[in-house]
Amino acid sequence: MKNASFHAIVEDLKISFKFATRNLISYILALLGVIIISAILLVLVAAMIFIPLFFVSGGLEGLIALFTSFSTMTEAGFTNIAVGGLLIALPLVAPFFVAIGAMFGMGREIVESEGTSIEGVFTWYRRKFFSLAGGGIVLFLVVLGPLILILLAGSVIFGVEFFGFMIIGASPASYMYPVIGALLTIWFVVSTGLLSMLFPAIIDGHSVLDATRKSIKMSIQYFDRVFGVWIAFMAILGACLLPLTGFPWVLAAPWPWIALLSVLAIPAILILIFVYLPALTIGLTRVYMILTADDDEETTPQEDGTGPNFIGGL
Amino acid sequence: MEIIEDKKLIQLLMEPTRAKIIFDYLVKDAMTVKQLADLTRKNPGTILHHIQKLKEVGLVFEERTEQTQTGIVQRYYRASAREYRMGISEMVQATGDDATKRLRSMITSLSVYGIDIPERQIGEAVDLLTALIDRENEISSSNLIVNEDQHDELSSSDRGDASRIMRRFALEEDSQYRELRDRWHNFLRSHRTGVRNE
């Protein structure tokens, strides 16, 4: 059951997409609900950050002056901006990670009992808010942290030009693009793959730290199954997004091409959000449950020769 | 049998759905979230949250996992003991008025058996009964088994009957319990009206 094979991974994908489409209405309504809640939370968090900043910096002009002052900073200043930006970004992205985490809760309900409800997502959102936000922050830091560290270390060693080199190097027009693009893709797939069991473990009742440890341990111990499913999902995502990579060239093409791409892009995005994302949460939760099947299980003595009790009371 | 004395556990089990899940179903058999959801008519998500709470405190564990043909991964949960009793003093401390009200109501309801306890003596009755149940729980929860291996090989009905015989015997052997029981029985006798409503 735990071993990975081509057949097992194809089955994982088939079952995930089958359950996702079967619960499509619940997912659409639940996703719309959590997106609205997350947006409200985002506004509240942004208000909590920027309103005090507005008064401390002395009104709108002061705030503009504060942000424009960043442009004159040296490499040490860039370090501050990067770290400060990260600290501001974390509370802003946290509500969306909670929303994604709550989807894993719905996935768990489906994998364990074949059905879910719209209110289920709100229950997970409310009950696991801090754990899921913490999990999201860990994911954010692990995936983006090393990249920021490289940028910072590079800027200290090579100067501010390193930022420009990396950013221009990653642009499609540069000869560096394939190398940097490939390295970034590998890092993204590996780091997110290592943490792919993070949200299912949080939903299973583990703390953020425990869930992080468990996810990394599982993805190493069952490398083939975890990464097999993860890479399969990433490949599907890549295949769906592949046509969009031609967008810059299409812009230069005659208008019917632009219209065609736009018409195709809308259903593609809807399918990605309302079918692919739920299928991903279902698939990863299912793999988590299969792989942790005998972790906490206890055996009880087999019932043999059961019959009516003769002695009552007590 | 397990005596639940932790106040947090008692508070946790005061939630009716949770109490139903564990005392009505999981003590008897291992069940899945779906089965429990069908029986309690709650949605699976709610049941899953309750199971997680019960699992966190060690009252429930995962017995086995099965994959169905449709791709569902069913987990079977079971209670950690076949029988539970709440520590009555701890229950009073944990739930305050709720447990006291329940005890008072229990004592008042003895009137249907011809035991009429006046309002002013209900407090005394509650104290006597609490002390008796506490002692009973203390003895019942002590491990009386001398051969664990042979005990595990017994059938569940034999195990249950043998356990009840020995718990009853252990209670009768305890002088403190006997004294408390005699005081309680004398109290009941003194309030017996002996009138039957045929």
Side-chain angles (χ1 to χ4, degrees), chain A residues 11 37 52 87 120 122 130 172 185 238 250 274 289 302 304:
Chain A
E11 272 301 298
I37 290 176
L87 288 176
F122 299 108
F130 291 106
T185 308
V250 173
F274 296 116
M289 285 186 69
Q302 291 295 309
D304 55 334

Side-chain angles (χ1 to χ4, degrees), chain A residues 182-236:
Chain A
L183 287 174
L184 283 176
T185 308
I186 291 169
W187 170 247
F188 178 78
V189 172
V190 171
S191 59
T192 48
L194 281 170
L195 294 176
S196 58
M197 298 289 120
L198 176 68
F199 283 123
I202 290 174
I203 292 295
D204 199 27
H206 292 277
S207 66
V208 176
L209 275 179
D210 265 358
T212 309
R213 274 197 289 264
K214 199 168 180 69
S215 177
I216 294 170
K217 196 177 153 198
M218 282 173 74
S219 53
I220 293 167
Q221 192 178 353
Y222 303 106
F223 179 82
D224 47 357
R225 187 70 184 260
V226 174
F227 273 90
V229 170
W230 182 244
I231 290 169
F233 271 108
M234 288 296 106
I236 293 171

